[in-house]
Amino acid sequence: MQPLRLNLSRLKGKIIAIDGPSGSGKSTTARLLADRLGYFYLDTGAMYRALTLFAIEHDIPPLDGRALAAAAQRVPIEFHRDGEVNRVLLNGVDVSEKIRSVDVTQHVSEVSAHKEVREAMVARQRQLAKNGSVVAEGRDTTTVVFPEADMKIYLDASPRQRAQRRLLDMARMGISTTLEEQEADIKRRDEYDSQRQHSPLTKARDAYVVDTSTMTIEGQVDHIIQLIRSIFK
Ligand code: DC
């Protein structure tokens, strides 16, 4: 099937923000969408993950918001596209695989819950998007980071479906786990991310809600491209 066509000149410089819970297909959708539009893909979760890895490697306790925020302000975190992969560099070192480890995944919710950490990260995310032409993805990109985004999308899917997707991702990375473990972890993180005091995961009032439970990744991207075409005519 031919990919849907877009008038790219009309789309220059825009900010498209995508939020949703873990495993809703945000990362792959955002990356593919960015490719189709020729945009920069801003993976805000990867930034919190990189900071969490830094904290683990430098013995900063996940509850020490002040020390974490100081690190969030100064530690160099960069993105580099390498074919289909979005590489994440921490202090110039490629940590793309390490930031997906079980250890980082277990601590990232706590690290990202601190108000001062979020403030430092949001400032960096806005700086990275200052020229527009960005697809940003995370938990608060439609509400806090880019409240004026040109288009907002909230991706959702059932916990079981999201656990299934995560299981496949982990298997691809050679990590062995079970569906039950993944579903429990997803529910735990959902609860933490949506009930935390600062920038909880919520649906922005003006976001398009897309339930991806029965969609393939290509289907999700096509659906969003259709939405984009109808909005930026
Ligand atoms: O999308 P992800 O699973 O890579 O995100 C990792 C964690 O970072 C997730 O538990 C919540 C947090 N996060 C956040 O608090 N705010 C964001 N904008 C993105 C991610």
Side-chain angles (χ1 to χ4, degrees):
M1 212 170 59
Q2 285 285 85
L4 294 169
R5 282 183 178 282
L6 277 166
N7 184 340
L8 292 180
S9 60
R10 285 220 184 100
L11 283 167
K12 251 182 115 185
K14 307 237 179 280
I15 293 185
I16 298 177
I18 307 180
D19 284 333
S22 152
S24 55
K26 282 182 314 249
S27 314
T28 315
T29 304
R31 178 173 56 74
L32 292 175
L33 190 62
D35 285 352
R36 292 274 288 273
L37 302 174
Y39 275 24
F40 172 64
Y41 163 38
L42 178 57
D43 179 353
T44 62
M47 296 175 74
Y48 288 102
R49 284 175 178 274
L51 177 66
T52 304
L53 177 64
F54 181 86
I56 292 170
E57 289 180 343
H58 291 81
D59 291 326
I60 304 175
L63 291 176
D64 190 344
R66 229 200 241 176
L68 289 166
Q73 278 166 7
R74 71 182 157 82
V75 180
I77 301 173
E78 294 161 86
F79 292 103
H80 280 284
R81 269 321 273 276
D82 171 15
E84 291 201 342
V85 185
N86 204 37
R87 296 259 156 225
V88 184
L89 305 191
L90 174 65
N91 257 331
V93 177
D94 186 347
V95 293
S96 317
E97 276 81 29
K98 265 192 177 172
I99 60 167
R100 310 277 158 202
S101 69
V102 175
D103 208 14
V104 169
T105 302
Q106 265 172 1
H107 291 102
V108 63
S109 286
E110 273 172 282
V111 168
S112 57
H114 297 283
K115 182 170 183 273
E116 52 276 62
V117 168
R118 303 204 68 84
E119 282 167 357
M121 283 303 199
V122 168
R124 291 181 76 156
Q125 289 155 7
R126 289 186 183 147
Q127 179 64 22
L128 283 167
K130 67 179 191 305
N131 297 324
S133 295
V134 168
V135 177
E137 168 256 304
R139 302 295 189 288
D140 62 346
T141 67
T142 58
T143 51
V144 177
V145 191
F146 304 115
E148 308 296 331
D150 297 282
M151 183 183 186
K152 299 180 182 181
I153 298 159
Y154 187 92
L155 284 190
D156 210 352
S158 68
R160 176 50 64 115
Q161 187 61 42
R162 292 189 277 131
Q164 230 135 21
R165 291 176 185 162
R166 186 120 294 182
L167 197 66
L168 284 177
D169 283 349
M170 305 281 265
R172 262 184 239 120
M173 289 190 282
I175 302 168
S176 146
T177 161
T178 65
L179 186 62
E180 288 66 34
E181 245 170 44
Q182 285 311 304
E183 193 171 351
D185 185 60
I186 274 179
K187 285 184 175 160
R188 179 185 64 81
R189 286 213 283 150
D190 276 2
E191 203 172 295
Y192 204 108
D193 293 342
S194 54
Q195 289 182 7
R196 69 180 173 213
Q197 192 185 355
H198 308 295
S199 309
L201 171 66
T202 47
K203 287 178 194 154
R205 258 188 303 118
D206 47 354
Y208 291 87
V209 178
V210 179
D211 189 323
T212 67
S213 296
T214 59
M215 290 184 186
T216 60
I217 288 291
E218 293 74 26
Q220 293 176 34
V221 177
D222 276 349
H223 184 83
I224 294 170
I225 298 264
Q226 293 274 27
L227 280 174
I228 290 176
R229 288 209 303 190
S230 66
I231 293 169
F232 304 113
K233 275 198 228 88

mmCIF file of all heavy atoms in Angstrom, residues 75-111:
data_model
loop_
_atom_site.group_PDB
_atom_site.id
_atom_site.type_symbol
_atom_site.label_atom_id
_atom_site.label_comp_id
_atom_site.label_asym_id
_atom_site.label_seq_id
_atom_site.Cartn_x
_atom_site.Cartn_y
_atom_site.Cartn_z
ATOM 1 N N VAL A 75 24.092 17.602 32.976
ATOM 2 C CA VAL A 75 24.607 16.414 32.282
ATOM 3 C C VAL A 75 24.248 16.479 30.794
ATOM 4 O O VAL A 75 23.079 16.632 30.444
ATOM 5 C CB VAL A 75 24.002 15.127 32.880
ATOM 6 C CG1 VAL A 75 24.527 13.907 32.157
ATOM 7 C CG2 VAL A 75 24.324 15.037 34.338
ATOM 8 N N PRO A 76 25.254 16.352 29.910
ATOM 9 C CA PRO A 76 24.931 16.409 28.487
ATOM 10 C C PRO A 76 24.139 15.177 28.028
ATOM 11 O O PRO A 76 24.568 14.046 28.224
ATOM 12 C CB PRO A 76 26.310 16.449 27.800
ATOM 13 C CG PRO A 76 27.279 16.777 28.883
ATOM 14 C CD PRO A 76 26.695 16.248 30.161
ATOM 15 N N ILE A 77 22.941 15.438 27.488
ATOM 16 C CA ILE A 77 22.115 14.377 26.900
ATOM 17 C C ILE A 77 21.823 14.799 25.459
ATOM 18 O O ILE A 77 21.320 15.892 25.223
ATOM 19 C CB ILE A 77 20.786 14.184 27.666
ATOM 20 C CG1 ILE A 77 21.050 13.825 29.134
ATOM 21 C CG2 ILE A 77 19.918 13.102 27.008
ATOM 22 C CD1 ILE A 77 19.810 13.784 30.024
ATOM 23 N N GLU A 78 22.183 13.932 24.523
ATOM 24 C CA GLU A 78 21.969 14.270 23.105
ATOM 25 C C GLU A 78 21.277 13.121 22.391
ATOM 26 O O GLU A 78 21.373 11.971 22.822
ATOM 27 C CB GLU A 78 23.304 14.476 22.391
ATOM 28 C CG GLU A 78 24.113 15.654 22.849
ATOM 29 C CD GLU A 78 25.545 15.451 22.404
ATOM 30 O OE1 GLU A 78 25.851 15.817 21.268
ATOM 31 O OE2 GLU A 78 26.318 14.866 23.198
ATOM 32 N N PHE A 79 20.653 13.468 21.263
ATOM 33 C CA PHE A 79 20.023 12.446 20.412
ATOM 34 C C PHE A 79 20.734 12.420 19.070
ATOM 35 O O PHE A 79 21.099 13.470 18.538
ATOM 36 C CB PHE A 79 18.553 12.789 20.160
ATOM 37 C CG PHE A 79 17.707 12.689 21.396
ATOM 38 C CD1 PHE A 79 17.308 13.829 22.090
ATOM 39 C CD2 PHE A 79 17.308 11.453 21.876
ATOM 40 C CE1 PHE A 79 16.525 13.740 23.232
ATOM 41 C CE2 PHE A 79 16.521 11.349 23.016
ATOM 42 C CZ PHE A 79 16.139 12.498 23.688
ATOM 43 N N HIS A 80 20.933 11.209 18.554
ATOM 44 C CA HIS A 80 21.513 11.054 17.218
ATOM 45 C C HIS A 80 20.747 10.010 16.462
ATOM 46 O O HIS A 80 20.546 8.908 16.966
ATOM 47 C CB HIS A 80 22.986 10.611 17.299
ATOM 48 C CG HIS A 80 23.896 11.744 17.596
ATOM 49 N ND1 HIS A 80 24.249 12.672 16.638
ATOM 50 C CD2 HIS A 80 24.504 12.128 18.742
ATOM 51 C CE1 HIS A 80 25.042 13.577 17.195
ATOM 52 N NE2 HIS A 80 25.210 13.275 18.471
ATOM 53 N N ARG A 81 20.329 10.337 15.240
ATOM 54 C CA ARG A 81 19.637 9.326 14.445
ATOM 55 C C ARG A 81 20.645 8.418 13.776
ATOM 56 O O ARG A 81 21.633 8.867 13.208
ATOM 57 C CB ARG A 81 18.780 9.997 13.371
ATOM 58 C CG ARG A 81 17.382 10.278 13.816
ATOM 59 C CD ARG A 81 16.802 9.183 14.670
ATOM 60 N NE ARG A 81 16.175 8.150 13.862
ATOM 61 C CZ ARG A 81 14.946 8.225 13.418
ATOM 62 N NH1 ARG A 81 14.191 9.260 13.708
ATOM 63 N NH2 ARG A 81 14.440 7.253 12.697
ATOM 64 N N ASP A 82 20.391 7.106 13.882
ATOM 65 C CA ASP A 82 21.277 6.120 13.276
ATOM 66 C C ASP A 82 20.346 5.172 12.524
ATOM 67 O O ASP A 82 19.846 4.212 13.097
ATOM 68 C CB ASP A 82 22.039 5.419 14.413
ATOM 69 C CG ASP A 82 22.835 4.231 13.930
ATOM 70 O OD1 ASP A 82 23.035 4.103 12.711
ATOM 71 O OD2 ASP A 82 23.250 3.414 14.789
ATOM 72 N N GLY A 83 20.047 5.491 11.268
ATOM 73 C CA GLY A 83 19.067 4.719 10.503
ATOM 74 C C GLY A 83 17.725 4.783 11.207
ATOM 75 O O GLY A 83 17.202 5.869 11.446
ATOM 76 N N GLU A 84 17.196 3.631 11.573
ATOM 77 C CA GLU A 84 15.874 3.604 12.214
ATOM 78 C C GLU A 84 15.949 3.827 13.719
ATOM 79 O O GLU A 84 14.935 3.945 14.392
ATOM 80 C CB GLU A 84 15.226 2.244 11.959
ATOM 81 C CG GLU A 84 14.839 2.055 10.528
ATOM 82 C CD GLU A 84 13.779 0.997 10.383
ATOM 83 O OE1 GLU A 84 13.602 0.198 11.312
ATOM 84 O OE2 GLU A 84 13.142 0.982 9.328
ATOM 85 N N VAL A 85 17.171 3.821 14.252
ATOM 86 C CA VAL A 85 17.317 3.881 15.707
ATOM 87 C C VAL A 85 17.613 5.309 16.155
ATOM 88 O O VAL A 85 18.403 6.018 15.542
ATOM 89 C CB VAL A 85 18.455 2.929 16.169
ATOM 90 C CG1 VAL A 85 18.533 2.882 17.686
ATOM 91 C CG2 VAL A 85 18.241 1.539 15.608
ATOM 92 N N ASN A 86 16.942 5.694 17.236
ATOM 93 C CA ASN A 86 17.201 6.996 17.829
ATOM 94 C C ASN A 86 18.228 6.788 18.942
ATOM 95 O O ASN A 86 17.899 6.248 19.992
ATOM 96 C CB ASN A 86 15.892 7.530 18.425
ATOM 97 C CG ASN A 86 15.874 9.018 18.536
ATOM 98 O OD1 ASN A 86 16.391 9.722 17.673
ATOM 99 N ND2 ASN A 86 15.271 9.517 19.604
ATOM 100 N N ARG A 87 19.460 7.162 18.703
ATOM 101 C CA ARG A 87 20.518 6.915 19.700
ATOM 102 C C ARG A 87 20.511 8.016 20.764
ATOM 103 O O ARG A 87 20.319 9.189 20.443
ATOM 104 C CB ARG A 87 21.887 6.890 19.025
ATOM 105 C CG ARG A 87 22.027 5.743 18.050
ATOM 106 C CD ARG A 87 22.835 4.608 18.690
ATOM 107 N NE ARG A 87 22.516 3.362 18.058
ATOM 108 C CZ ARG A 87 22.273 2.231 18.703
ATOM 109 N NH1 ARG A 87 22.328 2.172 20.002
ATOM 110 N NH2 ARG A 87 21.998 1.131 18.052
ATOM 111 N N VAL A 88 20.748 7.601 22.006
ATOM 112 C CA VAL A 88 20.791 8.548 23.117
ATOM 113 C C VAL A 88 22.203 8.557 23.673
ATOM 114 O O VAL A 88 22.752 7.503 24.015
ATOM 115 C CB VAL A 88 19.801 8.127 24.230
ATOM 116 C CG1 VAL A 88 19.773 9.162 25.342
ATOM 117 C CG2 VAL A 88 18.412 7.912 23.655
ATOM 118 N N LEU A 89 22.800 9.749 23.733
ATOM 119 C CA LEU A 89 24.157 9.868 24.263
ATOM 120 C C LEU A 89 24.122 10.592 25.607
ATOM 121 O O LEU A 89 23.504 11.653 25.732
ATOM 122 C CB LEU A 89 25.059 10.652 23.302
ATOM 123 C CG LEU A 89 25.166 10.175 21.846
ATOM 124 C CD1 LEU A 89 26.289 10.898 21.131
ATOM 125 C CD2 LEU A 89 25.405 8.669 21.761
ATOM 126 N N LEU A 90 24.771 9.983 26.577
ATOM 127 C CA LEU A 90 24.884 10.590 27.905
ATOM 128 C C LEU A 90 26.360 10.887 28.105
ATOM 129 O O LEU A 90 27.185 9.956 28.030
ATOM 130 C CB LEU A 90 24.375 9.592 28.953
ATOM 131 C CG LEU A 90 24.530 9.953 30.424
ATOM 132 C CD1 LEU A 90 23.702 11.160 30.819
ATOM 133 C CD2 LEU A 90 24.142 8.755 31.306
ATOM 134 N N ASN A 91 26.674 12.173 28.294
ATOM 135 C CA ASN A 91 28.094 12.539 28.415
ATOM 136 C C ASN A 91 28.899 12.042 27.208
ATOM 137 O O ASN A 91 30.038 11.613 27.352
ATOM 138 C CB ASN A 91 28.694 11.870 29.652
ATOM 139 C CG ASN A 91 28.840 12.867 30.758
ATOM 140 O OD1 ASN A 91 29.026 14.063 30.486
ATOM 141 N ND2 ASN A 91 28.762 12.397 31.987
ATOM 142 N N GLY A 92 28.290 12.022 26.045
ATOM 143 C CA GLY A 92 28.984 11.596 24.821
ATOM 144 C C GLY A 92 29.049 10.092 24.616
ATOM 145 O O GLY A 92 29.574 9.625 23.616
ATOM 146 N N VAL A 93 28.498 9.332 25.571
ATOM 147 C CA VAL A 93 28.562 7.863 25.459
ATOM 148 C C VAL A 93 27.181 7.324 25.055
ATOM 149 O O VAL A 93 26.156 7.748 25.611
ATOM 150 C CB VAL A 93 28.985 7.234 26.817
ATOM 151 C CG1 VAL A 93 28.978 5.710 26.740
ATOM 152 C CG2 VAL A 93 30.335 7.759 27.240
ATOM 153 N N ASP A 94 27.160 6.412 24.089
ATOM 154 C CA ASP A 94 25.898 5.842 23.623
ATOM 155 C C ASP A 94 25.309 4.930 24.707
ATOM 156 O O ASP A 94 25.880 3.889 25.037
ATOM 157 C CB ASP A 94 26.156 5.037 22.335
ATOM 158 C CG ASP A 94 24.864 4.529 21.717
ATOM 159 O OD1 ASP A 94 23.818 4.578 22.392
ATOM 160 O OD2 ASP A 94 24.909 4.090 20.559
ATOM 161 N N VAL A 95 24.160 5.347 25.257
ATOM 162 C CA VAL A 95 23.523 4.561 26.336
ATOM 163 C C VAL A 95 22.133 4.051 25.905
ATOM 164 O O VAL A 95 21.304 3.723 26.751
ATOM 165 C CB VAL A 95 23.397 5.397 27.641
ATOM 166 C CG1 VAL A 95 24.760 5.692 28.237
ATOM 167 C CG2 VAL A 95 22.626 6.698 27.387
ATOM 168 N N SER A 96 21.914 4.014 24.585
ATOM 169 C CA SER A 96 20.575 3.673 24.059
ATOM 170 C C SER A 96 20.042 2.356 24.627
ATOM 171 O O SER A 96 18.842 2.259 24.914
ATOM 172 C CB SER A 96 20.613 3.573 22.541
ATOM 173 O OG SER A 96 21.349 4.621 22.006
ATOM 174 N N GLU A 97 20.899 1.369 24.766
ATOM 175 C CA GLU A 97 20.440 0.078 25.296
ATOM 176 C C GLU A 97 20.352 0.128 26.825
ATOM 177 O O GLU A 97 19.373 -0.322 27.411
ATOM 178 C CB GLU A 97 21.382 -1.064 24.875
ATOM 179 C CG GLU A 97 21.081 -1.611 23.484
ATOM 180 C CD GLU A 97 21.677 -0.753 22.376
ATOM 181 O OE1 GLU A 97 22.729 -0.105 22.626
ATOM 182 O OE2 GLU A 97 21.105 -0.696 21.270
ATOM 183 N N LYS A 98 21.383 0.713 27.436
ATOM 184 C CA LYS A 98 21.437 0.733 28.912
ATOM 185 C C LYS A 98 20.223 1.420 29.541
ATOM 186 O O LYS A 98 19.778 1.044 30.617
ATOM 187 C CB LYS A 98 22.699 1.487 29.361
ATOM 188 C CG LYS A 98 23.882 0.601 29.656
ATOM 189 C CD LYS A 98 24.918 1.430 30.363
ATOM 190 C CE LYS A 98 26.102 0.612 30.773
ATOM 191 N NZ LYS A 98 27.176 1.482 31.287
ATOM 192 N N ILE A 99 19.709 2.462 28.882
ATOM 193 C CA ILE A 99 18.589 3.187 29.503
ATOM 194 C C ILE A 99 17.286 2.383 29.472
ATOM 195 O O ILE A 99 16.305 2.785 30.077
ATOM 196 C CB ILE A 99 18.354 4.590 28.877
ATOM 197 C CG1 ILE A 99 18.032 4.489 27.387
ATOM 198 C CG2 ILE A 99 19.528 5.510 29.148
ATOM 199 C CD1 ILE A 99 17.483 5.791 26.804
ATOM 200 N N ARG A 100 17.286 1.246 28.760
ATOM 201 C CA ARG A 100 16.092 0.375 28.738
ATOM 202 C C ARG A 100 16.239 -0.793 29.707
ATOM 203 O O ARG A 100 15.406 -1.701 29.727
ATOM 204 C CB ARG A 100 15.842 -0.201 27.335
ATOM 205 C CG ARG A 100 15.860 0.810 26.227
ATOM 206 C CD ARG A 100 14.546 1.533 26.069
ATOM 207 N NE ARG A 100 14.767 2.811 25.390
ATOM 208 C CZ ARG A 100 13.967 3.841 25.444
ATOM 209 N NH1 ARG A 100 12.855 3.798 26.148
ATOM 210 N NH2 ARG A 100 14.235 4.960 24.815
ATOM 211 N N SER A 101 17.308 -0.813 30.492
ATOM 212 C CA SER A 101 17.539 -1.944 31.393
ATOM 213 C C SER A 101 16.473 -1.979 32.503
ATOM 214 O O SER A 101 15.822 -0.976 32.789
ATOM 215 C CB SER A 101 18.926 -1.832 32.033
ATOM 216 O OG SER A 101 18.921 -0.747 32.929
ATOM 217 N N VAL A 102 16.343 -3.145 33.114
ATOM 218 C CA VAL A 102 15.348 -3.320 34.175
ATOM 219 C C VAL A 102 15.627 -2.359 35.331
ATOM 220 O O VAL A 102 14.711 -1.742 35.894
ATOM 221 C CB VAL A 102 15.365 -4.790 34.671
ATOM 222 C CG1 VAL A 102 14.433 -4.985 35.857
ATOM 223 C CG2 VAL A 102 14.993 -5.734 33.532
ATOM 224 N N ASP A 103 16.899 -2.187 35.658
ATOM 225 C CA ASP A 103 17.293 -1.324 36.762
ATOM 226 C C ASP A 103 16.825 0.117 36.535
ATOM 227 O O ASP A 103 16.225 0.750 37.418
ATOM 228 C CB ASP A 103 18.834 -1.367 36.859
ATOM 229 C CG ASP A 103 19.294 -1.103 38.267
ATOM 230 O OD1 ASP A 103 18.441 -1.152 39.171
ATOM 231 O OD2 ASP A 103 20.503 -0.839 38.450
ATOM 232 N N VAL A 104 17.086 0.627 35.345
ATOM 233 C CA VAL A 104 16.665 2.003 35.022
ATOM 234 C C VAL A 104 15.138 2.080 35.015
ATOM 235 O O VAL A 104 14.543 2.986 35.611
ATOM 236 C CB VAL A 104 17.246 2.454 33.655
ATOM 237 C CG1 VAL A 104 16.597 3.758 33.199
ATOM 238 C CG2 VAL A 104 18.763 2.609 33.740
ATOM 239 N N THR A 105 14.497 1.099 34.381
ATOM 240 C CA THR A 105 13.030 1.105 34.280
ATOM 241 C C THR A 105 12.385 1.109 35.665
ATOM 242 O O THR A 105 11.374 1.762 35.891
ATOM 243 C CB THR A 105 12.554 -0.107 33.443
ATOM 244 O OG1 THR A 105 13.178 -0.011 32.158
ATOM 245 C CG2 THR A 105 11.054 -0.128 33.265
ATOM 246 N N GLN A 106 13.016 0.414 36.602
ATOM 247 C CA GLN A 106 12.446 0.345 37.946
ATOM 248 C C GLN A 106 12.533 1.671 38.708
ATOM 249 O O GLN A 106 11.708 1.945 39.556
ATOM 250 C CB GLN A 106 13.156 -0.730 38.754
ATOM 251 C CG GLN A 106 12.393 -2.032 38.688
ATOM 252 C CD GLN A 106 13.166 -3.166 39.313
ATOM 253 O OE1 GLN A 106 14.280 -2.978 39.819
ATOM 254 N NE2 GLN A 106 12.602 -4.348 39.265
ATOM 255 N N HIS A 107 13.551 2.464 38.390
ATOM 256 C CA HIS A 107 13.759 3.687 39.178
ATOM 257 C C HIS A 107 13.312 4.977 38.499
ATOM 258 O O HIS A 107 13.243 6.023 39.136
ATOM 259 C CB HIS A 107 15.240 3.809 39.562
ATOM 260 C CG HIS A 107 15.653 2.781 40.556
ATOM 261 N ND1 HIS A 107 16.367 1.654 40.215
ATOM 262 C CD2 HIS A 107 15.399 2.680 41.879
ATOM 263 C CE1 HIS A 107 16.553 0.915 41.295
ATOM 264 N NE2 HIS A 107 15.973 1.516 42.311
ATOM 265 N N VAL A 108 13.009 4.885 37.196
ATOM 266 C CA VAL A 108 12.771 6.131 36.457
ATOM 267 C C VAL A 108 11.521 6.887 36.931
ATOM 268 O O VAL A 108 11.511 8.122 36.931
ATOM 269 C CB VAL A 108 12.762 5.873 34.929
ATOM 270 C CG1 VAL A 108 11.633 4.962 34.505
ATOM 271 C CG2 VAL A 108 12.711 7.157 34.132
ATOM 272 N N SER A 109 10.491 6.186 37.373
ATOM 273 C CA SER A 109 9.286 6.889 37.832
ATOM 274 C C SER A 109 9.595 7.760 39.048
ATOM 275 O O SER A 109 9.148 8.904 39.127
ATOM 276 C CB SER A 109 8.177 5.900 38.188
ATOM 277 O OG SER A 109 7.612 5.356 37.034
ATOM 278 N N GLU A 110 10.375 7.203 39.970
ATOM 279 C CA GLU A 110 10.731 7.969 41.178
ATOM 280 C C GLU A 110 11.562 9.198 40.820
ATOM 281 O O GLU A 110 11.330 10.293 41.323
ATOM 282 C CB GLU A 110 11.600 7.105 42.095
ATOM 283 C CG GLU A 110 10.859 6.230 43.053
ATOM 284 C CD GLU A 110 11.852 5.307 43.747
ATOM 285 O OE1 GLU A 110 12.266 4.314 43.120
ATOM 286 O OE2 GLU A 110 12.229 5.610 44.884
ATOM 287 N N VAL A 111 12.548 8.977 39.944
ATOM 288 C CA VAL A 111 13.440 10.077 39.557
ATOM 289 C C VAL A 111 12.638 11.180 38.870
ATOM 290 O O VAL A 111 12.810 12.373 39.155
ATOM 291 C CB VAL A 111 14.572 9.564 38.623
ATOM 292 C CG1 VAL A 111 15.325 10.712 37.975
ATOM 293 C CG2 VAL A 111 15.528 8.659 39.407
#
